[in-house]
Amino acid sequence: VTSAMIRSNTVLPLEQYLDMPDKYPGLAAIPKLYLDAMKDKDGHIWSIPTWFDQNPEDPWPGWASLGWFVRSDVLEKTGLTVDDLKTIGGVEK
């Protein structure tokens, strides 16, 4: 579907809007790391990334989650403790 829409010229590539800080400061603030990953083989970007880490150097500054809820029975079965969940590494474990 995406390829057909692009070929039909019914959608426009967005990269021009991502480099207009005076008009679209939010779009211009998207880290280049994420925009580069969205480019197609011709270098075009067809959608705006959302729900990405604002700062790729520090992706977990605390805003990403308002709360973590853990079932104590499941935690017990894993052999972990609440203290083990104080870091992202612990949560991933």
Side-chain angles (χ1 to χ4, degrees):
V1 171
T2 302
S3 294
M5 289 175 64
I6 291 169
R7 284 192 312 270
S8 71
N9 291 319
T10 58
V11 294
L12 297 172
L14 300 175
E15 58 271 7
Q16 64 182 341
Y17 302 105
L18 301 170
D19 192 25
M20 300 173 88
D22 54 324
K23 289 187 176 185
Y24 308 107
L27 295 179
I30 298 171
K32 188 177 183 316
L33 170 81
Y34 302 114
L35 296 175
D36 287 345
M38 296 188 70
K39 291 181 180 178
D40 69 7
K41 64 182 175 160
D42 298 321
H44 295 297
I45 298 173
W46 299 97
S47 62
I48 297 171
T50 59
W51 294 103
F52 57 87
D53 300 318
Q54 301 288 320
N55 179 358
E57 299 300 318
D58 184 19
W60 296 99
W63 60 265
S65 177
L66 296 178
W68 294 80
F69 301 91
V70 179
R71 286 182 36 193
S72 58
D73 60 323
V74 174
L75 188 61
E76 185 179 318
K77 288 179 183 178
T78 64
L80 298 172
T81 67
V82 173
D83 285 340
D84 293 327
L85 303 180
K86 288 184 176 181
T87 65
I88 294 300
V91 172
E92 289 175 346
K93 182 179 177 186

